[in-house]
Amino acid sequence: MKVINYILTAMVTANLAFSGMVHAQVAANNSIEAISVAPQGADIAIKIDLKDALAVPPAGFSVANPAKIAFDFQSTANGLGKNSQTVNEGDLRSMNVVQVGERTRLVLNLVRGMNYSTRVDGKSLYVVLAPISNASDSAAQRVTRFADESMVGSRHAVRDVQFRRGKDGEGRIIVDLSDTGTGIDIRQQGTSLVVDFLKTNIPEHLRRKLDVTDFATPVTAVETKSQGDNVRMTISPKGLWEHNAYQSDNQFVVEVKPIIEDPNKLVQGSKIGYQGPRVSINYQNGDVRALLRLMAEELGLNAVISETVAGTTTLVLKDVPADQVIDIIFQQKGLDMRKNGNVILIAPRDELATREKLEYEAKQQIGDLEPLRTEAFQINYQKADALQKLLTDSGQRMLSKRGSAVVDPRTNTLFIQDIPTRLEEVRKVIAKVDVPVRQVMIEARIVEAADAFSRNLGVRLGFNKTGINGPSNDRIAVGSNYQNTGQAAGIVQGNPTMPLAQAVNLPATPRSGTASALSFILYGAGTANFLNLELSALEADGRGKVISSPRVMTADQVEALIEQGVEIPYQQATSSGATSVSFRKANLALKVKPQITPDGKITLTLDVNKDTPNPTLQTGSGVAIDTKHVKTEILVDNGGTVVIGGIYTQNTKNQTQKVPLLGDMPMVGWLFKNNEIIDDKTELLIFITPRIVSEKLGMN
């Protein structure tokens, strides 16, 4: 039982880190120090040494399939330093020791079911494993006991009984118990499964019969009632089934799973390997037909043995599954079987092959002579001509050699003429193919963020004479720039040209906007000369964000394209030497092909373009285009958002123009140079969000 394997042994590998953490943090009162194994004739003795003596032996339970025995040590830690130990002594294969909290579980992994007994001697616990006698072997294999009756308390109780349907169609009966020491026996009795809870009470409202037919599981009814000191639960399945049972703390679970019949197996079930009852055979030079009849009776099979099966055989086998015995005889004598319902036919392989060949030839002859029938198929979601190609493809033709298919494109109807058996197969194929295609809404968000910073600083310095009507006294004038300041103070007359009037002409040259200016003029009336200084500066800081969000809806595995933009003309030379006007697109385009995976995710093949004209780079042939392009393939959750690409650029510039030597002077040098600082950052991010659209046109 896979679930029992998980509970008893999978924790050894899956919870090693957790067990180690709990072992380090929880201070248990006792601990297992050593375990030793020794054979004693047919029995196996196990000695478990503990730090302190036990007052009573630990509670234990056994599982028949797979064969295991487990003991729970309360308030005990695992002091072995390991979680598993390989033994391979008799029927004892290995041991697992798992600590969870203050409890440690010892699991004995067996080759087959065994009886056990325990006793406490000082600080040691002795466990003796004894083989099950042949008289009770079959019964022991049918019964699984989850607790030793002698180790549990006096009375227990059933708190609740629930029924649920599993994801694979199995019926799950969940029983809540009052404590973990409840003794449980589970066995198959006729066509029912009987579970006895030993020394257990059940409330009156839980003594009932549940009709669970509507759950569509192998279980039709679950009856729980009180029987003496025990509680008996009777589970009534139908059809072919198998069961698993496991207990986790106070919860006991029985799962009844349906079995899909395998015609190649003598004993049905989902487990791998031989599963029939074990038999011991000492057959000396006996008739093969008689031995096959005995094995069929042992397995409860309806067998028809061909008259051509003859000969004798000698077999000496001990404790071997009955279906394996039949397989050995088949291999030894060249036999095989064919199963029809609950009856098997046993015959030599050559005879079965010849018989099947004759049957196939007869069916082929019937197909060649069988009258043809015409049937019309209304195609709803696919193209009828596409289905016609699928059915009549020469490489994988689905129609018979006499069959044909004709399409009416006006009504999208497919007319097929073939034998009735092939028409039935075609009907199944069309039912699987002619289904609505799921649709996907894809949304792209293209975000362009820009952060621009620039700083410009310049100076103009000059020495000049005033006009004819200059001021009659010395003065200092301050203003916005040299020209306006000088004219307002009456110092500058006329409109002198600035480069000629300045000895240093290095004003601020911003890339956009107008720089602010501050002018100083010092005038001497005695000399009729003036000294002018003009400082110009500009600091610009700008931030911008452009968001483009194209959306497109398309069917599963169908490519879609959406675009928006302009077509820019440019001149192009032809082969004759003349010029012609051509156009180039500058578009925002989203090209996508989605594929929905079986687990509900979406695989996207993407091609995203973000092209914009750049007028600053215009030439005689046309305007330049800034291109941003991403092409990729990604896997995204339904409704999830993923960044498929990003471009980050930074342009840093620090430029200085100065008068040689004078511009390098400390402090005063700023009067003889021009400085420009630029720091531009741009970032491009592309986000993609796909959503599967339901049939009601609502986005999931």
Side-chain angles (χ1 to χ4, degrees):
M1 291 182 286
K2 296 181 179 178
V3 181
I4 294 178
N5 275 330
Y6 171 75
I7 292 177
L8 297 181
T9 60
M11 291 188 298
V12 175
T13 56
N15 294 331
L16 289 180
F18 173 75
S19 299
M21 178 183 69
V22 174
H23 177 72
Q25 295 179 352
V26 177
N29 298 330
N30 204 350
S31 64
I32 299 176
E33 303 294 333
I35 301 178
S36 57
V37 180
Q40 292 183 351
D43 299 342
I44 301 175
I46 303 172
K47 180 184 178 185
I48 304 169
D49 297 327
L50 297 103
K51 179 181 178 182
D52 299 320
L54 296 174
V56 293
F61 62 89
S62 62
V63 177
N65 190 14
K68 298 179 185 292
I69 297 176
F71 299 95
D72 284 340
F73 294 83
Q74 302 294 336
S75 299
T76 303
N78 178 12
L80 298 176
K82 56 184 178 180
N83 297 88
S84 62
Q85 179 177 342
T86 303
V87 179
N88 291 329
E89 190 70 55
D91 288 333
L92 179 59
R93 294 183 301 176
S94 61
M95 297 182 296
N96 296 325
V97 183
V98 181
Q99 178 187 347
V100 178
E102 293 186 350
R103 184 179 66 176
T104 298
R105 173 169 289 182
L106 170 64
V107 182
L108 307 178
N109 302 308
L110 308 175
V111 176
R112 57 180 176 175
M114 302 183 74
N115 294 324
Y116 71 92
S117 61
T118 60
R119 65 182 177 88
V120 177
D121 186 359
K123 296 183 179 181
S124 300
L125 173 68
Y126 290 89
V127 180
V128 179
L129 305 179
I132 300 174
S133 61
N134 293 332
S136 61
D137 191 12
S138 60
Q141 291 182 1
R142 292 195 302 267
V143 178
T144 301
R145 175 162 294 179
F146 278 79
D148 189 350
E149 186 179 357
S150 62
M151 298 300 175
V152 299
S154 57
R155 300 302 296 174
H156 310 277
V158 174
R159 299 286 178 80
D160 193 13
V161 178
Q162 302 178 26
F163 184 87
R164 297 176 184 172
R165 186 182 190 273
K167 64 179 182 178
D168 296 325
E170 70 273 14
R172 183 174 298 158
I173 300 95
I174 303 172
V175 182
D176 290 333
L177 303 171
S178 59
D179 56 86
T180 59
T182 306
I184 305 172
D185 286 344
I186 179 170
R187 65 187 181 277
Q188 185 174 345
Q189 184 172 301
T191 59
S192 301
L193 196 62
V194 178
V195 183
D196 286 333
F197 300 91
L198 309 179
K199 296 182 180 180
T200 304
N201 296 327
I202 183 171
E204 185 66 30
H205 70 280
L206 294 179
R207 300 177 189 177
R208 59 189 177 181
K209 183 176 182 180
L210 301 176
D211 185 355
V212 293
T213 307
D214 294 340
F215 284 85
T217 69
V219 182
T220 59
V222 179
E223 184 179 7
T224 309
K225 61 183 179 179
S226 181
Q227 189 173 31
D229 292 339
N230 304 331
V231 173
R232 171 162 292 185
M233 176 182 289
T234 304
I235 304 171
S236 302
K238 64 178 179 180
L240 293 176
W241 55 274
E242 61 182 359
H243 76 278
N244 292 330
Y246 60 93
Q247 182 174 350
S248 176
D249 292 333
N250 296 347
Q251 194 174 76
F252 176 73
V253 181
V254 180
E255 289 185 347
V256 181
K257 300 180 179 180
I259 294 178
I260 300 176
E261 186 174 3
D262 186 353
N264 298 321
K265 295 177 66 175
L266 290 171
V267 180
Q268 300 299 319
S270 61
K271 300 182 180 67
I272 300 175
Y274 300 106
Q275 304 171 43
R278 295 180 177 271
V279 296
S280 297
I281 300 176
N282 190 347
Y283 200 69
Q284 301 293 332
N285 199 24
D287 184 46
V288 173
R289 289 172 54 85
L291 181 57
L292 289 174
R293 180 178 58 82
L294 291 175
M295 291 297 99
E297 292 178 355
E298 184 68 24
L299 291 173
L301 300 174
N302 299 320
V304 177
I305 304 176
S306 174
E307 295 293 337
T308 56
V309 177
T312 60
T313 184
T314 298
L315 294 176
V316 180
L317 301 173
K318 182 179 179 182
D319 198 19
V320 178
D323 50 342
Q324 186 179 7
V325 175
I326 293 181
D327 196 14
I328 292 173
I329 299 173
F330 282 2
Q331 295 177 10
Q332 185 184 30
K333 295 299 181 179
L335 304 177
D336 206 344
M337 71 169 187
R338 295 295 182 268
K339 192 172 183 181
N340 185 5
N342 60 348
V343 179
I344 62 172
L345 171 63
I346 301 176
R349 289 193 181 95
D350 295 340
E351 179 182 334
L352 291 175
T354 303
R355 182 178 302 176
E356 290 175 348
K357 181 180 179 181
L358 293 175
E359 290 179 359
Y360 292 147
E361 290 177 351
K363 289 180 180 179
Q364 184 175 3
Q365 292 177 1
I366 292 174
D368 293 340
L369 300 176
E370 190 174 3
L372 300 178
R373 193 175 71 186
T374 302
E375 189 168 343
F377 295 90
Q378 178 64 52
I379 309 303
N380 299 316
Y381 303 103
Q382 299 286 346
K383 296 292 185 181
D385 52 356
L387 284 179
Q388 180 194 28
K389 293 179 181 178
L390 175 66
L391 296 174
T392 60
D393 186 7
S394 59
Q396 49 182 12
R397 185 179 177 89
M398 297 184 184
L399 303 179
S400 67
K401 59 183 179 181
R402 300 167 58 201
S404 61
V406 179
V407 173
D408 178 17
R410 185 179 63 86
T411 59
N412 201 40
T413 303
L414 184 63
F415 296 91
I416 299 179
Q417 186 180 49
D418 211 332
I419 59 178
T421 55
R422 287 299 180 96
L423 286 176
E424 188 63 30
E425 295 178 2
V426 169
R427 184 178 291 105
K428 294 178 181 179
V429 172
I430 293 177
K432 289 184 176 295
V433 175
D434 188 26
V435 294
V437 180
R438 304 175 72 182
Q439 299 183 92
V440 182
M441 168 70 77
I442 301 99
E443 177 183 358
R445 289 185 297 277
I446 304 172
V447 181
E448 294 180 89
D451 185 358
F453 174 82
S454 63
R455 179 184 294 165
N456 298 83
L457 180 63
V459 63
R460 288 176 175 176
L461 179 63
F463 180 78
N464 210 336
K465 290 181 176 293
T466 65
I468 300 174
N469 299 319
S472 59
N473 57 343
D474 299 336
R475 64 177 60 186
I476 297 177
V478 180
S480 60
N481 56 54
Y482 155 70
Q483 190 71 31
N484 295 334
T485 303
Q487 290 181 355
I491 301 173
V492 178
Q493 302 294 329
N495 187 18
T497 303
M498 194 60 72
L500 299 178
Q502 302 294 334
V504 178
N505 186 32
L506 296 174
T509 55
R511 54 184 174 178
S512 63
T514 303
S516 298
L518 179 62
S519 177
F520 299 89
I521 296 179
L522 177 61
Y523 174 70
T527 60
N529 294 328
F530 64 90
L531 178 66
N532 65 286
L533 172 64
E534 180 184 280
L535 301 178
S536 57
L538 177 66
E539 182 174 312
D541 190 0
R543 291 177 177 84
K545 182 169 64 175
V546 179
I547 300 179
S548 305
S549 182
R551 301 182 185 182
V552 64
M553 180 183 291
T554 182
D556 184 24
Q557 300 190 45
V558 176
E559 186 179 272
L561 171 65
I562 184 172
E563 61 181 359
Q564 176 192 10
V566 298
E567 291 190 358
I568 300 175
Y570 64 95
Q571 292 185 349
Q572 185 178 19
T574 62
S575 57
S576 62
T579 59
S580 63
V581 178
S582 300
F583 293 87
R584 181 182 174 185
K585 291 184 177 181
N587 290 345
L588 168 63
L590 171 63
K591 183 187 294 184
V592 59
K593 183 178 181 181
Q595 178 180 352
I596 302 175
T597 63
D599 57 353
K601 297 183 179 180
I602 306 170
T603 300
L604 298 174
T605 302
L606 289 162
D607 193 347
V608 183
N609 273 309
K610 181 67 169 65
D611 299 340
T612 55
N614 189 347
T616 61
L617 298 179
Q618 184 173 1
T619 63
S621 300
V623 179
I625 297 177
D626 293 336
T627 300
K628 301 175 182 66
H629 185 202
V630 176
K631 186 176 183 180
T632 184
E633 183 173 340
I634 57 174
L635 177 65
V636 193
D637 292 332
N638 180 26
T641 301
V642 64
V643 181
I644 66 170
I647 301 173
Y648 177 82
T649 60
Q650 182 176 8
N651 180 21
T652 303
K653 180 180 179 182
N654 192 339
Q655 179 176 331
T656 301
Q657 299 177 0
K658 59 185 177 180
V659 177
L661 299 179
L662 296 178
D664 296 328
M665 297 173 61
M667 302 301 293
V668 182
W670 284 101
L671 301 177
F672 301 95
K673 61 184 177 182
N674 171 292
N675 181 252
E676 181 182 28
I677 297 176
I678 295 176
D679 187 3
D680 294 342
K681 304 182 186 70
T682 59
E683 186 171 10
L684 172 68
L685 295 175
I686 301 176
F687 301 85
I688 296 293
T689 303
R691 294 181 177 89
I692 300 176
V693 181
S694 68
E695 296 180 358
K696 297 181 180 180
L697 298 181
M699 289 187 292
N700 295 330

